[in-house]
């Protein structure tokens, strides 16, 4: 039985910008369970349904992974967009207590002590070899940024970078079709490319055409 996998990345945040990264991490924390409940439990799009943080050579973003034998990737793409619109309302209507609770949950995760010397060593080596500017007190700096973060700042970050139609949003949709949805594949492939959208048929040519992402110093 053929399976279809849909990977969708939203937003790119540079690895050295820890203030933007804590906002991204907080959005992911708040949205993770809501995405699973809506896309997996309610809509039953696929038995593998994930929302998680993604790291592409130090450029961070949000990623949806949905694997299905029922719906084709084009349909899944529309449902991810619908979820983001629904989550937008959830974020806007969040109470101050709920916002504070989520911030504290992320802070507690960052303040967890290393379980052993191997885990601690791995933390420091990750800073050294990750390619980003080494910052061995990164967790403390992120906690400090979280303590200063306001609910309105998080909403502004979401509006500017993640919501449907956000001005700074960059989305990559990777669609893998199974045999049972070849008709949908051929139909969607022949559709006109939407404005501000690039259809990538040759990944190597596309990569060569892109400028390098400048380092933040």
């Amino acid at each position: 039985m053929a399976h279809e996998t849909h990977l969708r990345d939203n937003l790119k945040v540079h690895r050295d910008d820890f203030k933007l990264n804590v906002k991204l991490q907080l959005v992911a924390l708040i949205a993770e369970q809501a995405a699973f409940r809506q896309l997996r439990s309610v809509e039953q799009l696929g038995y593998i349904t994930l929302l998680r943080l993604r790291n592409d050579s130090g450029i961070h973003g949000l990623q949806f992974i949905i694997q299905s034998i029922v719906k084709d990737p084009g349909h899944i793409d529309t449902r991810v967009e619908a979820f983001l619109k629904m989550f937008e309302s959830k974020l806007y209507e969040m109470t101050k207590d709920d916002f504070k609770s989520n911030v504290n949950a992320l802070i507690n995760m960052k303040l967890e002590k290393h379980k052993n010397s191997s885990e601690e060593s791995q933390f420091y080596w990750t800073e050294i070899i990750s390619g980003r500017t080494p910052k061995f007190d990164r967790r403390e700096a992120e906690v400090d940024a979280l303590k200063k973060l306001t609910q309105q700042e998080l909403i502004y970050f979401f509006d500017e970078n993640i919501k449907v139609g956000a001005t700074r949003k960059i989305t990559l949709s990777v669609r893998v079709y199974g045999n049972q949805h070849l008709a949908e594949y051929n139909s969607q492939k022949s559709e006109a490319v939407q404005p501000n959208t690039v259809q990538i048929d040759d990944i190597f040519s596309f990569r060569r055409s892109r400028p390098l992402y400048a380092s933040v110093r």
Side-chain angles (χ1 to χ4, degrees):
M1 182 177 294
H3 296 216
E4 288 154 353
T5 303
H6 178 231
L7 290 82
R8 179 189 177 91
D9 295 334
N10 293 271
L11 167 67
K12 301 299 181 185
V13 172
H14 198 276
R15 59 196 173 200
D16 288 336
D17 196 331
F18 67 87
K19 292 182 180 178
L20 282 183
N21 270 293
V22 295
K23 296 175 184 177
L24 176 63
Q25 293 165 24
L26 187 57
V27 169
L29 178 69
I30 298 170
E32 183 180 8
Q33 290 187 352
F36 183 86
R37 180 169 59 252
Q38 179 64 30
L39 301 177
R40 173 66 177 88
S41 302
V42 176
E43 300 188 28
Q44 299 185 3
L45 293 182
Y47 57 91
I48 294 179
T49 302
L50 302 173
L51 184 157
R52 67 182 186 183
L53 292 170
R54 182 179 174 92
N55 182 348
D56 290 291
S57 300
I59 306 305
H60 302 164
L62 288 180
Q63 181 182 49
F64 291 85
I65 301 178
I66 301 175
Q67 189 173 47
S68 175
I69 61 174
V70 180
K71 302 296 184 180
D72 69 275
H75 175 83
I76 292 173
D77 217 7
T78 63
R79 299 316 305 160
V80 171
E81 292 281 290
F83 166 76
L84 287 174
K85 290 180 180 179
M86 181 192 73
F87 179 72
E88 178 183 331
S89 298
K90 173 183 174 66
L91 195 63
Y92 292 170
E93 297 167 4
M94 181 183 299
T95 66
K96 292 181 179 180
D97 287 343
D98 284 341
F99 171 75
K100 185 176 180 180
S101 177
N102 281 292
V103 169
N104 288 337
L106 186 54
I107 288 175
N108 290 337
M109 291 168 60
K110 293 184 177 298
L111 293 180
E112 287 184 359
K113 294 182 178 181
H114 299 295
K115 297 180 177 63
N116 49 56
S117 58
S118 177
E119 186 175 286
E120 185 176 8
S121 174
Q122 181 62 41
F123 168 79
Y124 289 114
W125 272 113
T126 298
E127 285 293 327
I128 294 171
I129 67 176
S130 65
R132 63 191 179 190
T133 304
K135 188 172 179 62
F136 299 116
D137 62 344
R138 183 177 301 274
R139 294 197 303 182
E140 290 76 9
E142 290 182 339
V143 166
D144 184 58
L146 282 167
K147 289 179 178 178
K148 297 175 182 177
L149 180 65
T150 68
Q151 189 169 353
Q152 189 55 47
E153 286 175 330
L154 184 68
I155 291 174
Y156 179 77
F157 171 80
F158 178 84
D159 286 349
E160 190 178 39
N161 297 281
I162 302 176
K163 71 178 289 184
V164 177
T167 55
R168 297 186 67 248
K169 179 177 178 179
I170 300 175
T171 300
L172 172 65
S173 177
V174 180
R175 304 177 178 183
V176 181
Y177 286 78
N179 292 330
Q180 71 268 46
H181 286 126
L182 289 179
E184 288 87 347
Y185 168 75
N186 291 324
S187 174
Q188 293 167 16
K189 189 176 181 181
S190 63
E191 292 177 356
V193 178
Q194 298 297 314
N196 301 318
T197 300
V198 177
Q199 182 172 307
I200 304 172
D201 297 312
D202 183 345
I203 184 62
F204 299 106
S205 296
F206 177 76
R207 285 173 58 185
R208 287 193 293 268
S209 72
R210 308 311 298 164
L212 295 176
Y213 199 117
S215 178
V216 176
R217 297 292 181 185

